[in-house]
Amino acid sequence: MTIIHLRAPHARLTLQQRAGPLLRSVSAARRFGDDVFWLKENAELLNILECTGVRPEAADLSTYELLYEGLPERLSFFPQYYRFLLSICLDLEDLGMPGTHGAALAEWAGAQGLAGAELSDLQRAEAHRLLARRGVLAAQDDGLDERLRAFMRRSATFALPNKKAAYELTHIVFYLSEYGRRAPKLDEGALVSLEYAGLLAFLDQNADLLAEICIALRYAGQTPSPIWESFVLDGLRGFTVTGGEGIDVADDYHEYMVSQWLAALALPDLRAAPIPEGRCRFDAPAHVPGPLRDMSVCLMQMTHSRSADWDCMRPILLNGAPDGSAQIVAAAEASSDRFGAFFEGFARALPAGR
């Protein structure tokens, strides 16, 4: 009798089940502790686990024990990285790492006035939030909150492609909402800005940015478009995670993590591919390129004949569009009842100086 062994596909796992291998790979195998990208990846991972309520096993957190014990010395030598180091420290403790370095490091960073070295309002807001997690008040910064809100409510900014501004918009919402712990009290202008930024991200088929926008909308008490969230979550289901020594890690790690973050809020039971032990890379599924750039080029070439009226411009922009583009534009229209208003800004139909 011949016995045939069938190789069953890997079971798909929850984030809680994948947390251990993720922590081991990101902390000890993908990059190394003196690399700023190591700091960024680990701070992102720990923050997402902490704010989504995932609690790793103590054995899984043990991969950070040496780092944690050396944080006071590391922070004193690398104060320019204090936001990364303090975030890692606080999240480790809140995830269950025994120790009280966080309070002492927050006190030290506050006493050193490190938040005062920040040129960006966004980075100052992040610094204030980190210190406040251990009850430390940063130096008074009159007008910081209002400047952030004024930036958010200027919706015209977000009707034009500007990824830096869009990511800053989402991060302001994260800080104002304490990562979903309190209502950020956004005004109508800020909500419109998030919607415009989401339309651009969807037209660009940028799942990384769109995931952050959907998270920010949820933290603001809004329901993101199901079309947007389905695009991100379908992409997460299609991620490929591969392992191997020497494997290139210039990959889609950030998109994977923010997509998983959105899944934890929108579809907590979503399961994804297991994480190999050791060094691994994350590859998003291939998809049809977004029509955003083609739309912009077409509008620019029309010069004075372009209109801000979407109903007039639709057939012109879609005529001869590559395969798949028309469907993406139609989905974008269906995803928001503000698409026409968004297009008025996106079209840039009024020449400068008039």
Side-chain angles (χ1 to χ4, degrees), residues 156-196:
T157 301
F158 306 98
L160 300 176
N162 186 336
K163 291 179 185 176
K164 181 176 185 295
Y167 278 110
E168 289 181 345
L169 175 67
T170 63
H171 282 245
I172 293 170
V173 179
F174 299 159
Y175 303 146
L176 291 178
S177 70
E178 290 283 345
Y179 284 83
R181 291 175 174 84
R182 67 177 185 179
K185 299 179 181 178
L186 302 189
D187 59 26
E188 183 68 12
L191 296 175
V192 171
S193 295
L194 284 167
E195 195 152 354
Y196 286 1

Side-chain angles (χ1 to χ4, degrees), residues 63-100:
T63 184
Y64 289 97
E65 282 179 354
L66 288 178
L67 169 80
Y68 179 78
E69 289 308 318
L71 277 172
E73 181 178 350
R74 183 171 294 215
L75 179 57
S76 67
F77 194 79
F78 294 110
Q80 67 270 39
Y81 298 136
Y82 78 98
R83 285 182 288 111
F84 282 136
L85 293 170
L86 189 54
S87 177
I88 288 169
C89 180
L90 299 179
D91 285 333
L92 282 172
E93 290 179 359
D94 291 349
L95 287 169
M97 175 76 79
T100 57

Side-chain angles (χ1 to χ4, degrees), residues 260-300:
Q260 182 59 74
W261 184 3
L262 176 61
L265 301 178
L267 197 63
D269 293 333
L270 185 143
R271 294 169 178 259
I275 308 299
E277 289 291 343
R279 188 178 179 89
C280 60
R281 63 171 285 127
F282 301 82
D283 290 292
H287 55 72
V288 175
L292 180 63
R293 180 177 175 79
D294 290 340
M295 292 172 69
S296 291
V297 170
C298 183
L299 287 167
M300 183 177 66

Side-chain angles (χ1 to χ4, degrees), residues 294-309:
D294 290 340
M295 292 172 69
S296 291
V297 170
C298 183
L299 287 167
M300 183 177 66
Q301 292 173 343
M302 293 177 70
T303 60
H304 302 302
S305 63
R306 63 179 175 263
S307 167
D309 187 332

Side-chain angles (χ1 to χ4, degrees), residues 65-338:
E65 282 179 354
L66 288 178
L67 169 80
Y68 179 78
E69 289 308 318
L71 277 172
E73 181 178 350
R74 183 171 294 215
L75 179 57
S76 67
F77 194 79
F78 294 110
Q80 67 270 39
Y81 298 136
Y82 78 98
R83 285 182 288 111
F84 282 136
L85 293 170
L86 189 54
S87 177
I88 288 169
C89 180
L90 299 179
D91 285 333
L92 282 172
E93 290 179 359
D94 291 349
L95 287 169
M97 175 76 79
T100 57
H101 286 331
L105 296 187
E107 289 280 359
W108 184 85
Q112 295 293 313
L114 296 183
E118 304 290 3
L119 184 62
S120 160
D121 280 339
L122 178 66
Q123 291 169 345
R124 278 194 292 274
E126 180 187 5
H128 290 187
R129 173 190 173 266
L130 288 169
L131 297 180
R133 287 177 65 180
R134 292 299 183 268
V136 177
L137 296 179
Q140 185 70 24
D141 189 348
D142 293 332
L144 175 61
D145 186 86
E146 179 50 38
R147 291 195 302 273
L148 294 174
R149 292 183 183 278
F151 171 80
M152 289 193 294
R153 75 170 65 99
R154 188 183 184 278
S155 301
T157 301
F158 306 98
L160 300 176
N162 186 336
K163 291 179 185 176
K164 181 176 185 295
Y167 278 110
E168 289 181 345
L169 175 67
T170 63
H171 282 245
I172 293 170
V173 179
F174 299 159
Y175 303 146
L176 291 178
S177 70
E178 290 283 345
Y179 284 83
R181 291 175 174 84
R182 67 177 185 179
K185 299 179 181 178
L186 302 189
D187 59 26
E188 183 68 12
L191 296 175
V192 171
S193 295
L194 284 167
E195 195 152 354
Y196 286 1
L199 284 167
L200 283 172
F202 185 80
L203 286 169
D204 198 27
Q205 296 288 274
N206 184 338
D208 187 297
L209 176 55
L210 191 58
E212 288 205 10
I213 290 165
C214 290
I215 294 163
L217 283 166
R218 284 185 169 271
Y219 284 169
Q222 305 298 301
T223 301
S225 165
I227 293 172
W228 298 355
E229 291 196 330
S230 292
F231 171 66
V232 174
L233 298 178
D234 287 347
L236 178 59
R237 293 185 184 94
F239 254 85
T240 301
V241 186
T242 53
E245 291 299 321
I247 199 167
D248 183 8
V249 293
D251 58 2
D252 302 311
Y253 169 81
H254 187 267
E255 180 179 329
Y256 178 87
M257 289 309 307
V258 293
S259 298
Q260 182 59 74
W261 184 3
L262 176 61
L265 301 178
L267 197 63
D269 293 333
L270 185 143
R271 294 169 178 259
I275 308 299
E277 289 291 343
R279 188 178 179 89
C280 60
R281 63 171 285 127
F282 301 82
D283 290 292
H287 55 72
V288 175
L292 180 63
R293 180 177 175 79
D294 290 340
M295 292 172 69
S296 291
V297 170
C298 183
L299 287 167
M300 183 177 66
Q301 292 173 343
M302 293 177 70
T303 60
H304 302 302
S305 63
R306 63 179 175 263
S307 167
D309 187 332
W310 171 241
D311 289 334
C312 294
M313 297 298 295
R314 181 194 289 109
I316 298 171
L317 289 174
L318 296 186
N319 183 35
D323 290 345
S325 290
Q327 291 91 328
I328 293 171
V329 174
E333 281 188 89
S335 73
S336 170
D337 58 9
R338 291 192 172 105

